Amino acid sequence: MPVLLTYVLIALAVAALLGVVLEEITHVNKAKVTLFFGTLAWLLLFMFAPAGEVRETVLESLNENIAEIAGLWIFLVAAMTFVAYLNKKGMIENLIYLVLPKRISERALLFLTATFCFVFSSLADNITATLVSITLILSLQLDRAKTIKFATLVVFAVNSGGVALITGDVTTLMIFLAGKVAILQLLALAVPAFVAVMVLAAMLSIGMKGEVVVQGHRNDVRGVDVAIALIFLCTILSTIIGNFLFQIPPVLTFLAGLSVMFLVARFFSDDNDSDPILEYVRQVEFETLFFFLGILLLVGMLKEIRVLDGLVHIYDQVPAVMANYLMGVMSAAIDNVPLTAALLKSGLEMGVAEWMVLTYAVGVGGSLLVIGSASGIVAMSKVPGLTFGSYLRHMLYLFVAFNIGFAGVYLIGLSIG
């Protein structure tokens, strides 16, 4: 492979990363940027690879990369379709107002919001969980300073909740699919992650003494909606049990659950021209999926030209735990998806405790800055007054909570390992 081509391909990867970081300035969607540079990089690899064995090796690497991406895509489409349906039918909103009392203190509401965000983001993707939570907060009409506190908590709680289940965070799913941690080991992350969220809620609640009147409304619930909600929960449980007992791939279990959802909708005669059940597949966040596609193509290319070998050198210089901690802090500035993909592709060898720590670090580390995660970007776009600077005022609290969660995960990882 020509040396000049290697530098060109690295430049394309850097340009794609800058496109993600500067999205708010360029106003060019990061999915479009990463997909363009990802496909262009592989096209150049094929064009400049000598015919014969070298080109066959490139083709083999691309096929392997595409197979990994396809598994991730199909799983996310299935999970997101369930959430899109339940959200559209008002089931999630009903659940919120069922739990919330009519009158509640601001401090109690802060802890309740933290708990809801943590649990909900384990089942739904981070973007949906953030949108639902922020909509609830804005409906309470709190003053700006308190709204920003709530929004800060939402970002941290949503990212923390996602690390313990493969349905909640893409990086968790990627690490699991790579065979680095088992599902039950991931579930163990929930305890220290939840403690960290509660610690942050306690620190943010200092000085909050007011009371909030909750004015919610209930949506009509149909039998088919309840049935599909139960199918979603059963699919998650079946995924955990099936993988633990029989090593069934999660993508297969979720596809089975999705097919049951389609059949049940038909049984209830709810699958008609006015509201076709397949229409909810189109409501999936395909921009997010195309972003993952572009990123994973780029990371696969970097592996092919052996650039990722340099990333492992950090782990040669410092202990794995410290290196994982640095990766978590870095994920506040660098998107955690390419960071995680790069580490997985680099052939890094670590124990179970270290992989559990890395899962937590890259999943929650993005919460340290508002621009460090998708949930932070969504919150910033929806909450008036939530800016990089206003979020940064709570940096000390966020840093303390992150460190508590990190230490707890490592201790549990050691006991499990």
Side-chain angles (χ1 to χ4, degrees):
M1 203 73 67
V3 177
L4 179 60
L5 176 62
T6 300
Y7 289 120
V8 170
L9 293 175
I10 293 173
L12 292 179
V14 172
L17 184 60
L18 288 174
V20 174
V21 174
L22 302 175
E23 181 182 9
E24 295 298 312
I25 298 174
T26 62
H27 302 292
V28 179
N29 187 281
K30 62 184 179 182
K32 299 173 183 176
V33 173
T34 55
L35 187 59
F36 171 75
F37 284 114
T39 52
L40 178 59
W42 278 100
L43 286 171
L44 291 175
L45 269 175
F46 274 98
M47 291 168 63
F48 288 93
E53 187 177 341
V54 176
R55 191 169 292 171
E56 288 177 5
T57 302
V58 173
L59 178 60
E60 186 177 321
S61 299
L62 178 62
N63 288 337
E64 180 184 336
N65 201 204
I66 292 294
E68 292 175 359
I69 294 169
L72 178 65
W73 252 58
I74 295 170
F75 176 88
L76 290 174
V77 167
M80 288 179 170
T81 301
F82 273 112
V83 175
Y85 178 91
L86 296 174
N87 193 37
K88 186 67 179 281
K89 297 302 181 182
M91 291 289 289
I92 297 172
E93 189 178 354
N94 279 355
L95 180 63
I96 293 172
Y97 290 118
L98 181 67
V99 175
L100 282 178
K102 296 295 182 183
R103 300 181 71 89
I104 184 172
S105 69
E106 292 174 346
R107 181 170 292 179
L109 181 61
L110 201 66
F111 283 95
L112 200 57
T113 300
T115 303
F116 170 77
C117 290
F118 185 88
V119 174
F120 183 50
S121 66
S122 298
L123 306 176
D125 64 280
N126 289 357
I127 294 175
T128 301
T130 305
L131 284 172
V132 171
S133 304
I134 292 297
T135 301
L136 168 65
I137 291 167
L138 293 177
S139 70
L140 301 176
Q141 298 181 344
L142 301 169
D143 66 56
R144 176 168 290 194
K146 291 176 181 176
T147 299
I148 291 173
K149 276 190 175 185
F150 271 89
T152 302
L153 180 62
V154 166
V155 173
F156 188 86
V158 162
N159 287 328
S160 298
V163 300
L165 274 178
I166 57 176
T167 51
D169 191 274
V170 174
T171 53
T172 300
L173 177 61
M174 290 165 64
I175 293 171
F176 168 77
L177 291 178
K180 304 302 183 183
V181 289
I183 280 187
L184 293 183
Q185 291 167 344
L186 286 174
L187 288 175
L189 297 179
V191 177
F194 184 70
V195 170
V197 171
M198 290 297 103
V199 169
L200 178 61
M203 290 186 289
L204 290 173
S205 69
I206 296 173
M208 299 186 78
K209 301 177 181 178
E211 192 174 59
V212 177
V213 177
V214 180
Q215 297 178 340
H217 66 279
R218 299 283 298 276
N219 298 290
D220 294 333
V221 176
R222 303 173 305 162
V224 64
D225 300 333
V226 175
I228 289 176
L230 291 174
I231 291 169
F232 183 40
L233 292 176
C234 288
T235 300
I236 294 172
L237 292 174
S238 300
T239 300
I240 296 171
I241 296 170
N243 184 265
F244 177 70
L245 295 179
F246 309 108
Q247 291 74 54
I248 300 174
V251 62
L252 183 60
T253 314
F254 260 82
L255 278 178
L258 192 66
S259 66
V260 173
M261 171 187 174
F262 292 156
L263 291 172
V264 166
R266 184 61 183 167
F267 174 78
F268 276 92
S269 299
D270 193 60
D271 188 13
N272 50 54
D273 292 338
S274 62
D275 189 23
I277 196 73
L278 284 172
E279 186 67 28
Y280 292 93
V281 177
R282 299 177 187 174
Q283 295 183 21
V284 170
E285 290 281 344
F286 276 96
E287 284 188 4
T288 302
L289 293 177
F290 277 114
F291 168 65
F292 295 151
L293 172 58
I295 284 294
L296 293 175
L297 283 173
L298 283 165
V299 172
M301 173 273 296
L302 291 174
K303 179 191 177 186
E304 179 65 18
I305 62 175
R306 306 188 68 83
V307 169
L308 296 184
D309 294 348
L311 195 60
V312 185
H313 292 333
I314 298 176
Y315 288 80
D316 296 332
Q317 304 302 318
V318 297
V321 175
M322 179 57 67
N324 289 334
Y325 183 84
L326 293 174
M327 293 299 162
V329 174
M330 283 172 58
S331 70
I334 302 173
D335 194 278
N336 60 356
V337 173
L339 189 62
T340 305
L343 289 171
L344 290 173
K345 292 283 187 182
S346 67
L348 184 64
E349 294 293 336
M350 294 191 295
V352 171
E354 286 77 15
W355 281 111
M356 290 175 67
V357 163
L358 179 66
T359 304
Y360 178 84
V362 296
V364 184
S367 309
L368 296 175
L369 297 176
V370 73
I371 61 171
S373 65
S375 53
I377 297 295
V378 169
M380 191 164 55
S381 67
K382 297 294 181 182
V383 178
L386 181 62
T387 62
F388 185 88
S390 63
Y391 188 90
L392 202 61
R393 292 184 193 130
H394 305 296
M395 178 67 176
L396 178 60
Y397 292 163
L398 291 163
F399 191 69
V400 169
F402 172 73
N403 280 279
I404 288 173
F406 185 91
V409 168
Y410 182 60
L411 292 175
I412 288 180
L414 286 177
S415 63
I416 291 176

